[in-house]
Each structure stands twice: as structure tokens, then as C-alpha cells.
Amino acid sequence: MQQTHRTGPGPGASGRPRVADNGRRFYLEIGRGIRWPACLLAAALASGAAPAAVASAVAAQQEAVATAAAPPSMVASMAAAVRQSAQRLAPRQRILLDEGWRFHLGDPEGAGDAYLYDIRPQVTASADGKVADAVPEEAARVAASARQVLKPWILPSGNAFIADAAKRYQRPAGEPAIDAPFARAGFDDGAWKAVRLPHDWAIEGPFLASGPYGGMGRLKTWGPAWYRKTVRLDATDAGKSIFLDVDGAMAYASVWVNGRLAGGWPYGYNGFRIDLTPYLKAGADNQLAIRLDNTPESARWYPGAGLYRNVWLTKTAPLHVGQWGVKVTTPEVSPEAARVAWQVRLENAGKVPAMADVVTELFALDEQGRPGAAAVASSTSARTAVAPGAGIDVAGAARLPKPRLWGPLPNQKPNRYLARVTVRQDGRVVDRYETPFGIRSLRFDPDSGLVVNGEKVPLRGVNNHHDLGALGAAFNVRAAERQLQMLQEMGVNALRMSHNPPDPQLLELTDRMGIVVMDEVFDSWQRKKTPLDFHLIFPDWHEQDLRAMLRRDRNHPSIVMWSVGNEVGEQYTGEEGAAIGRELVAIAHQEDATRPATSAMNWAKADMPLPATMDVISLNYQGTGIRTLPGQFPAFRARFPDKVILHTESASALSSRGAYQFPVPGVASAAVRPGSGGDPATKQVSAYELFAADFGSSADRAFGALDQNPYTAGEFVWTGFDYLGEPTPYYDARSSYSGIIDLAGFKKDRYYLYQSRWRPELPMAHILPHWTWPERVGQVTPVHVFTSGDEAELFVNGKSQGRQKKAPYAYRLRWDYVNYEPGEVTVVAYRDGREWARSSVRTAGEAALLQAEADRAVIAGDGRDLAFVTVRVADKDGRTSPRASQRVRFKVEGAGELVATDNGDPTDLEAFPSPERAAFNGLVLGIVRARPGAQGDITVRASAPGLREAVVKVRAVRGED
């Protein structure tokens, strides 16, 4: 039996390896007509095939195991042989270390502060409710102490990102004087919890029902935590360089190997690398332990906790491409031809000089991220000498005719390429490194804003914090993809990373989906917003953290600008603060001269020093006007006529999905107040979408400010999705009210207001509120309509309520004096005098049944892919009961399991893993995954007392089925 396999050496969107044999057809016969794809190993021997191709030999062998009629002993021995061969032959291995971890909260008994990174200020009182635009404060002074801290051993971990070699840190002689039993190989961790990464230990709850920390999501994220994993090295690993690559760990990570402190990284949002080579033993088991020490009062939102992103083991030859060591730029771009340039950082960890030959090949990627069989360009550098313990940069370039350009949807296509760098030493392949990139031109015009490939791209963007709702901070590709898909449906073409480096997989999604990105690194500099935030480590780590983000992310074509700060306190410190801004912008230019750098400002005025240090003027709320202050767009335009000006945060409108409050004021925008948009008893904000945080505005008012200042480049709305923490104005709640989409992923009415503006060619009309108000018969119940049309007529039970045209700088149509009567409300929207769209809402009857729908019918059986199941409470005719609050219970049968539930209610303090949850205004969500390795049907049942049960099925499939 001959197995056939798909081609393409790189991982696709799912992250699983695919077989790549470049047309070779060699097989190893093992009896009974079974052929195994030994061609991959033979090709690796002959030409140093890509690591993904070698790894794919294992995948192919496993596929054959599942279908071939071979004796189990033969299958097992062949599997072992293929794995061992792949390990020996791969010039570079990148091994995902997400399985087999043990987790424990707390330090060894009596350890006290022995593991502290550094002495911290004392926090004597905690409080919630500080307004989001409060003035950051001067850092607290910390008295000197003779107590040992780990800082001297951790600081050298960032040396690669300090440009001035004289400022790099020397590791102290010897080990810190700590007895670290949790780090020792002999420690028995059998009683510790078995976990799989990414892991956010705090998201399970319970929520804190009283006291402060509403700002951090009412979830306890602080305190020491340990992760342990045994790592087995093959004897063939002797002489290799071996690194631990962590995509994100919250926070103050210290990495221990076989009882010794190898290094660490304080900032919880950045990826980092620790060289494990001096601490590991080849041909033996090695004990890896990672301690985290997230602090209270560390953030203004939910930071998450734990090893919440992927962790990797990277093995290379002593001569290898350095960390994030390939930089690709496209200095010349036109439809006819493009010049692609690259710089490769070679590092020699060996003890003797090495002579290196570097071959760089460029491949076109298809929509699934698979490279073509043949390179579209290649170049070989001159032989280069690399001294022991040193690094050197090797440059090259190629010209591509008729390039496939990367550009944002919907008018352009996100085409991508792959740069494959092969390093040979003495004719032998010793390393191969691959990085995707895109070919596109960027221009920033003060009148047109962002111009990509010659096309003006108005920024129709949102801000998002990094949590994924009920999943917490633990990154999940499908959950993030679902968010981006919903945002693109609304018309989003841009995303601002608020206010920290994202998971690298999120940038892979924005590359693939054609969304432009503002990548941001810091929320604070030297001045603090919370007592224990990043300001504590900014003086020692700002250069390392900024350069690390820039090097990691610079090849992503979706990134169009860098942000070095957000609403920093240095706005208030004149030239002193500007000096810091100038330093950070200079670092950004050193690492990447192809994109501008900016910092989002909410207070600095046009005549102050800080704005002048930035390439782009980025205003938070000031463009529209904060509180009683007038809009600042004209002042900045007059002072900086040659700079692009944009809204990095606009609106900050607030609402609770489906929670309408009366009376409705006849204004376009208002701050939330009791009885005017806000209900302190229920802690809900009216869904009429007219209300905002004190410093913000409704979407309507923000639209007007942009339209009246047409030179502006666009906006990033605060926010796309509700997020955990910062629940302005009700800090007893768990999550924000500012999202266009609620925490569960249910669309608020505001979604359709943005869609009507950002997708003007989409025929649509949306009516609010719902029309089920039995207690309001005969009372005034305003009806508002969001439409991409320019006028509309409203009908209640067939009777016209009048036809209206949109007024200048008005973005909704309002019928504010409609008297409620049960039945049907219909709107007919027009454009240029012709019918454009129509929509209706009807009064719902008593709740009678549940309806369930999964976002996808088929998911991968890998334990990571997710199905999001929406359950609606409906009447007997299937109309959603818009005020229903019945408790719904989820039961999952078959190949899957329930991960979490949610309902979008910012006040719901039921723990997310609970299988039972009250519907919020008729809706509740269940998140389901397949058990790792499982296949077959997953049956999801939703039940509630007195209502007919709902059942939906999802199928889990293996691999690429």
C-alpha cells in the first residue's frame, strides 16, 4: 500500500507540518507492500532538506501507521527510527514544549522573598476606580537593601539587545545563595497539577466578589507560580547550541535548569530566549523549571498569569542564524518589479573560527502558507569568517519581476513570500532558517494618511487587549481568528496592539488576513500608572524590550508603524520626558528604518516637546475633545503640517448588550450618569449607544470629528471587544463596557453603526431596541436605525412614523417619539432615492425553547481547535427572547469537552469553567474543544428548566481531514 501526502514544507495556518519531497519518489519497503516515505530522510542526507520536511517524515510515518496493516512491533520500531533519523539530520530543530508540564502555585514553604527579582515598593493600600486618563505619578523611591535579589543573574539575559557592548551585564560568579528544591531534578512533583501550555492559571477563578481589583478583572493573577518539565536530550545533541524560547510568561520569569539559574526576563508580554547550553546534559533527562512572580497592582486591566504563550526548545549547530536573525525589507516596489533585501545575523557559539556560506532563497506562499516547489529568486553570499563567540551580519538582495504584493483587504490581497536561509560550513548544511514576509510599499502622507502600494488606506481600526474573554490570556489561534473574522465583517482593516507586544501567532493571522497593525511595546515609561507596573523595570530594560519586539516582528508585512508608548506620564515632564521619547524613537529607527514610530498621547498639546519627537501624531480622544476641552486636530495640524495625524484611541463608548434604559436623552453623546445611560443598581449601561466614558464620546461624535478634519488618517476605536478588567464606570464588575462586541463575542448594536460607516457599499439596516416591552404599552420608546443608506422610513405595525434623511455629520436616524405597541417594527432604507435595505423586529412571546448553533461544523481533534456554540432562548416561533435570563446547562458528549461558558454580562461573577450559566438578554455561549487526539462526533446539549433542549453536533477530525 502506497501512502500519498500533501506537499509544502512549511506549516500552514493550522501549524501542523506537511510533507515536502520536492518531487522525489523514494520509499523504503518494509513488507506486505507497505511503503514508507524514506525519501524525506534521503533528501535530507543529500541536500540538507528544510527542517519542516524532515519533521514531516514523522508526520507521514504516523499517517501510515493509522492505515497500514503492519505488525505493531514493526510500526513502533519504524516510528522510533524515523524520529531518531529526523533528529540527527535536521540542521535546526524547533520543538514545541507545550505538553507534560507540572504546575504549582506558591514557593517552597518558608522561602519568603528569596526568589525576588528586585526589591519592590511597599503597597500600603489598594483601590479601584481611578479614571483611565489620570495623571501618571512619579516612581516611588525604594530604600537600599542588603537582601540578595536575582536581578544580577537575570539582567545578562537581555545582553543581545543592548547596542553598546560596554553597557552589557556580566553574570556574577557562582550561583545565587538559594536552596531551590522546586528546581532540582530529584524533587517529586507528582502531586502538582498536570497542565498543557499555553496556560493561564488565573482565568479559572473564582472571581473576587469584594474589595478592589475590578481594574484587573476581579481575578487573582498575582503570586509566585512554578512550572516543571523533564526534557530528554539525545546523545547526538552533544556539541549543539540549545535555547529555550518563550513567547510570553507573566511575569518576572526565572528559568532554572538542573537546579541552576540559567536566566530570565521580567516583562511579561515580550518573547525571550535563554541559552540552556551550559546547563544541559546530552543523552540524559534534564529538569527544566520556570518560576513566575506576577505582582498585584501591576496593570490597569487583566494581565493574565502563567506560561500563557507557547514555549519552544531550539537546537542549532554552534554556527547558526541568531535569534530573529533574518531581516527582510523591500526598498523598491512597483507592479513591474521589486527589490527584496535581507540581512542575516550569523552567530558562532563554537570555540574556533567558522567559514560560512549563506544561500538565501525566496519562495511565493499560497493562501495556506505553503511555499511553491521552486524558488522565485536565490542568492549566495561571499564566504564569510565568523570568529568564535562572535556574530556578523551578511547582506544580500534579489530583484523580482511582477511581484505579488501584500496589501490590506478588501481592495488588495495579502500575498506573502518566504525567505529560506541555508548556512553551510565546510560544505555541510549546519542551519536553515525560514521567515515569511510581504512585498509592499508604505507611504505616510500628511493629507492622505497611510498609503499602501499607492492606494490610500483609511484606518478603520480597533484596539484590543490581549485576553480572549473566557479563555483568559492563554493564546488560542482559533479564538483570535474568530475575533478578527468578526471585526473584518464589520469593516475593520486595522488593529492596534494595546498596550504590549502580542503573541506572534496573532501577527501571523493579521499577515494572512490582510489587516494592518500598529505594534505597541509599553503602557508606561518611568512614571507609574499602578504601583507595580512596568515603570519599576523601565530604566534597566526599555532598550532590551523594545529591540526584542522590533526584531521579532519586523518581517510581518501587516505592521505599518511602531508605537513606543501609550499615554505615558512623560507627557507631563517637558523636555525630560521628550528625551526619553527621542531615545525610543531612535532605537526604532536603528532596528527598522522602513516604518514610522509614534506614541499615543492623551494630554500633550501641540506646543509641548514630546509630540515633536514622534514621526506620527497619535491622539487618544484629544482629536474629538476630552470632557470640556475642544478637539485638538486643528492645533496639531497647524503645528505639524508635514506629519500624519490619527486617532489611536477614539470614542470609548460604553454599553451593555441588549440592556436599554429609558428615558433616552436627545443628545448625540453623553457621559454615563445615574439615570442617564447608567443604572447603578444593575451596573449596566444603556445599549442605545449614546454614552461614553467621561474622557470619551459616542461613536457618532468621533465620526464627526474625523469627517470635519479630513486630513486625519483614521481611527482605532476603543475597543473592538470587551475585555477583562477596567470596567468603567462600575468597578464592581469583571469586564469593560467599551467593546463593540461583548466579552462572549456577541455583537452589540454599535457593531452595526460601525458597519454602516466602514462598509458603505453593503446594503444593511439595523433597528434598536428590541420590541418586547410589555410594561411600556403606550409609552414613548425611541427607535434608532443604523444604515448604510442615506434615508429611511419607519413603520410600526404598518403605520409610517415618517421618512428621514441623514443630516450633515449625523450617522444614525432617530424616531424619538414612537409609542410602544406590541407587534412589528420595520425600516425601509433608501440610497439615492432607491430602496437599499430593509429590516424588521417583532415582539417575542414567552420563552419556550433553546436554539443552539456552532460557529463551525468541523474542528481539528488536536485539543486546541475550538467550536463556539451560541445558545438562544426563544419563544415557540423561534424568536429570540431578548430579555431572557434562564440558567442554561451545557453537557458535552463524545469526542469533546467543555472549556468555558460566558454570556457577555460584565457583572457576571460565575467562574468561566462553570457548565451552567444564566443567559444575558437571551444569549449564552459554550466553548468546546476535542480531547487531544480524539476523532468523531461531539454532541453539545443545552438545557434549561421548562424549556425545550437544544442539541448541536460538531465533528472532530484528525490532522488535515
Side-chain angles (χ1 to χ4, degrees), residues 9-10 361-365 369 371 376 416-420 434-437:
E361 300 171 287
L362 306 183
F363 296 84
L365 295 177
V376 296
R416 292 180 297 154
Y417 288 82
L418 180 80
R420 178 181 296 163
E434 296 181 345
T435 184
F437 69 97

Side-chain angles (χ1 to χ4, degrees), residues 6-22 50-56 363-366 368-372 418 420 434 436 960:
R6 302 179 185 181
T7 60
S14 66
R16 290 179 290 275
R18 294 182 174 88
V19 176
D21 61 8
N22 295 327
V54 179
S56 292
F363 296 84
L365 295 177
D366 66 14
Q368 286 70 45
R370 299 175 300 205
L418 180 80
R420 178 181 296 163
E434 296 181 345
E960 298 287 324

